[in-house]
Amino acid sequence: MSPKTNIRPPGHILALKPYVPGKPIEELKRELGLRSIIKLASNENPYGMSSKACEAAKEVLQKSSRYPEGSGFVLKKALAEHLSVSPETLVLGNGSNEVLELIARTFVMPNDEVIFWQYAFAVYPLLVQAVSAKAVIIPIHNWAYDLTPALSAITPKTRLIFIANPNNPTGYALSGKALLSFIKAVPSHIPIVIDEAYHEYQIQKDYQTALPWIQKNPNLIVTRTFSKAYGLAGFRVGYSVSDGKIAGFLNCIRQPFNVNTVAQAAALAALEDQTFVQDSVEKNTQERDAVCKALESLKLSFIPSTANFVAIDFKQPAYPIYQALLREGVIVRPLQNYAMPHHLRVTIGSRKENDRFIKALKKILLGPVTK
Ligand SMILES: *Cc1c(COP(=O)(O)O)cnc(C)c1O
């Protein structure tokens, strides 16, 4: 049935374009009738989740006839200990995306300005548009954040700054030193979100989490997630750490039961299994190196990444290559909605998945090997 309603939302809502997620495995199965498909499109953990998290989730399923623990008391207590912060500084979200949305709704009014960088995580522009604010986008050169132009872009209307460290889809990470000097230069009445979705994967020496800086810079809000290294993307659990007062505001506009019982239990058990996380991170580093070497041997350029994905530059429209990979049963992420039409973003998978991806790529780029 075609829509018949004459109801129209306000202009800023009409202008919204939906977030385009990675193609689901089941969808490609339906479309192409392929049996074996690998998905390297959404930066999920290829090793799944901690078996302890899975067990914990199963155990509490029965309890789901009751409302969840609304304040997330137990999970927050464990997180607080893990991060050496106090529970009052934490806000739990249905994925860190929800926390990002809470932040925008809490601080930004229509026509206010929000600063972020070109090629930033696609969720930021959506959130800004949804609150009818103006996105102030700082240009990027060589995939690196230029921090000085962002300082010059601050006006009396600036209400929020988003920085993903490292960024998705580029994989670029700022040094702790550069980030801290930027933070210190921003007026203290402007909240700065440091999105650390890939924090666990950062092993390079010059990386620093922004967490310990909150004390001296109470305009900082650090967000993290259980979706990536912890392998709980389907459970939807993320959180922010900030000054207690800011956390209080966010908790006020948060839906009372935004993180469900099963997700809370899974996250708690996942947090307690740091061995699983470390193991995943180690394998990711090895496999990322291996994938990058294979790309080099195919003479392909890519953006150096500190995360669990890499953006490959094909120097030509990449969408046909994306489609050809789909026909090989390999789902990766096209980036034309990031205005990066020559790139594809590939999640680092398991050894087997990466081998299959590289093999498919070779076949597409060099043609099938014939005798
Ligand atoms: C994946 C990702 C998130 C996390 O999303 P969740 O809602 O926690 O699953 C946040 N920020 C960036 C930059 C990401 O890539």
Side-chain angles (χ1 to χ4, degrees):
M1 223 171 88
S2 62
K4 293 226 168 52
T5 177
N6 58 3
I7 296 172
R8 289 285 176 272
H12 68 283
I13 301 294
L14 269 176
L16 278 171
K17 293 201 184 75
Y19 177 81
V20 186
K23 195 177 190 64
I25 291 178
E26 294 307 320
E27 189 179 301
L28 186 62
K29 272 191 187 164
R30 284 194 298 271
E31 285 173 6
L32 295 185
L34 293 172
R35 289 195 26 228
S36 155
I37 290 170
I38 58 169
K39 184 184 174 207
L40 302 172
S42 302
N43 305 341
E44 294 135 334
N45 187 329
Y47 313 104
M49 70 180 81
S50 157
S51 56
K52 288 172 186 149
C54 193
E55 283 310 311
K58 280 185 201 157
E59 249 168 58
V60 296
L61 266 183
Q62 283 279 351
K63 291 190 185 165
S64 295
S65 58
R66 301 276 177 203
Y67 278 103
E69 160 59 66
S71 69
F73 181 85
V74 182
L75 177 56
K76 275 184 5 189
K77 186 163 174 283
L79 265 174
E81 268 166 39
H82 178 69
L83 303 169
S84 307
V85 299
S86 87
E88 300 80 54
T89 65
L90 295 170
V91 178
L92 299 179
N94 197 257
S96 57
N97 277 340
E98 190 197 17
V99 185
L100 296 171
E101 181 183 24
L102 294 178
I103 294 166
R105 283 173 47 212
T106 300
F107 294 108
V108 186
M109 294 272 287
N111 302 319
D112 284 344
E113 293 173 3
V114 179
I115 295 177
F116 53 88
W117 280 257
Q118 194 181 7
Y119 312 120
F121 186 40
V123 165
Y124 308 159
L126 286 178
L127 296 180
V128 173
Q129 176 76 28
V131 294
S132 197
K134 185 180 162 216
V136 176
I137 300 171
I138 311 300
I140 289 264
H141 305 286
N142 283 329
W143 312 111
Y145 286 113
D146 259 343
L147 296 175
T148 321
L151 291 176
S152 337
I154 292 173
T155 76
K157 284 186 159 183
T158 307
R159 287 289 174 278
L160 186 61
I161 300 175
F162 282 117
I163 304 181
N165 196 34
N167 186 40
N168 168 18
T170 59
Y172 173 82
L174 276 161
S175 74
K177 209 173 144 202
L179 183 56
L180 182 58
S181 68
F182 174 75
I183 287 166
K184 283 180 175 167
V186 173
S188 61
H189 69 276
I190 302 173
I192 310 173
V193 173
I194 312 291
D195 179 343
E196 296 186 350
Y198 301 93
H199 163 76
E200 293 79 9
Y201 291 111
Q202 304 311 297
I203 53 164
Q204 69 279 12
K205 279 211 181 71
D206 65 355
Y207 170 82
Q208 275 176 277
T209 169
L211 267 194
W213 305 334
I214 295 173
Q215 198 107 47
K216 280 195 184 154
N217 304 274
N219 57 330
L220 283 184
I221 308 171
V222 177
T223 59
R224 295 209 188 148
T225 182
F226 282 92
S227 298
K228 307 285 158 58
Y230 283 91
L232 301 185
F235 280 110
R236 313 302 304 127
V237 190
Y239 60 93
S240 66
V241 188
S242 65
D243 180 79
K245 229 175 177 171
I246 290 183
F249 297 136
L250 300 178
N251 272 318
C252 278
I253 68 160
R254 176 179 70 76
Q255 293 291 319
F257 305 109
N258 62 332
V259 184
N260 69 66
T261 306
V262 186
Q264 287 188 36
L268 179 67
L271 188 68
E272 284 164 356
D273 191 354
Q274 286 299 315
T275 313
F276 173 84
V277 179
Q278 277 163 23
D279 191 48
S280 300
V281 170
E282 266 167 43
K283 286 189 209 151
N284 177 69
T285 307
Q286 281 170 15
E287 288 302 312
R288 189 180 61 216
D289 289 349
V291 168
C292 289
K293 275 215 181 81
L295 294 174
E296 276 164 5
S297 73
L298 287 171
K299 305 262 185 301
L300 289 169
S301 317
F302 52 89
I303 307 173
S305 168
T306 64
N308 64 339
F309 58 84
V310 56
I312 306 169
D313 183 0
F314 290 92
K315 317 262 184 203
Q316 59 171 309
Y319 201 78
I321 300 171
Y322 163 73
Q323 288 173 312
L325 282 166
L326 288 182
R327 290 191 290 272
E328 298 296 322
V330 179
I331 310 175
V332 300
R333 194 67 160 264
L335 295 176
Q336 68 273 53
N337 63 330
Y338 282 90
M340 294 169 65
H342 289 184
H343 287 77
L344 294 178
R345 192 194 68 196
V346 183
T347 302
I348 305 302
S350 64
R351 171 73 50 90
K352 217 174 136 193
E353 290 171 331
N354 299 332
D355 286 350
R356 182 163 160 196
F357 161 66
I358 293 292
K359 206 172 144 198
L361 197 58
K362 262 187 195 156
K363 181 175 159 191
I364 293 160
L365 296 176
L366 311 174
V369 185
T370 46
K371 282 195 185 155

